[in-house]
């Protein structure tokens, strides 16, 4: 059984920081490309960034580049999303996901999903 469990969301002021965690079980983070997505009410699920399983290269959406950082802790089989300089438009439910595709930004190509964690950035 595969489980991805996000945590670390909450309410933060504009300009603040949060660190989201995605604890994986039933799959190995270092052998899957891992993605972060977000979805605000009434909007489509949006690619935030990903880390490629082979070599750990990271890619980010333009909207978060320079503010967000994706990393992984292979020993703990955990994915992280460090979010800095948060803006109100970052408010969304954040999901981690896993895929055997080398690189993709499309939600439909990710095989496993967490339950999501709410991030709310005060205006």
């Amino acid at each position: 059984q595969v489980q991805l469990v996000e945590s670390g969301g909450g309410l933060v002021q504009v300009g603040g920081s949060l660190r989201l965690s995605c604890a994986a079980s039933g799959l190995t983070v270092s052998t899957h490309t891992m993605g972060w997505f977000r979805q605000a009410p009434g909007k489509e699920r949006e690619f935030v960034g990903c880390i490629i399983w082979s070599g750990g290269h990271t890619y980010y959406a333009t909207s978060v580049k320079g503010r967000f950082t994706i990393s992984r802790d292979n020993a703990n089989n955990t994915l992280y999303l460090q979010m800095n300089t948060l803006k109100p438009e970052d408010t969304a439910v954040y999901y981690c996901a896993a895929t055997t595709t080398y690189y993709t930004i499309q939600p439909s190509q990710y095989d496993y999903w967490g339950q999501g964690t709410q991030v709310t950035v005060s205006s």
Side-chain angles (χ1 to χ4, degrees):
Q1 56 182 7
V2 173
Q3 283 191 308
L4 302 175
V5 181
E6 301 97 332
S7 62
L11 177 65
V12 65
Q13 294 182 0
V14 171
S17 298
L18 281 174
R19 186 177 180 87
L20 306 184
S21 299
C22 173
S25 60
L27 65 78
T28 301
V29 166
S30 63
T31 61
H32 289 72
T33 289
M34 303 295 298
W36 284 101
F37 294 81
R38 65 188 184 186
Q39 189 166 23
K43 298 182 66 177
E44 293 185 359
R45 193 159 296 190
E46 175 189 21
F47 174 78
V48 174
C50 66
I51 182 167
I52 307 301
W53 72 268
S54 180
H57 294 103
T58 53
Y59 298 88
Y60 302 95
T62 301
S63 58
V64 307
K65 192 174 298 181
R67 300 188 297 119
F68 290 11
T69 303
I70 296 171
S71 61
R72 66 190 182 199
D73 184 336
N74 293 339
N76 291 302
N77 206 32
T78 301
L79 179 75
Y80 299 99
L81 179 65
Q82 178 67 47
M83 304 184 294
N84 299 325
T85 319
L86 283 161
K87 305 174 180 179
E89 52 262 44
D90 296 320
T91 295
V93 176
Y94 283 72
Y95 299 89
C96 69
T99 181
T100 56
T101 302
Y102 183 78
Y103 170 77
T104 181
I105 66 171
Q106 298 182 11
S108 63
Q109 293 186 335
Y110 282 77
D111 303 303
Y112 304 102
W113 293 84
Q115 83 290 344
T117 186
Q118 177 71 49
V119 172
T120 302
V121 184
S122 63
S123 60

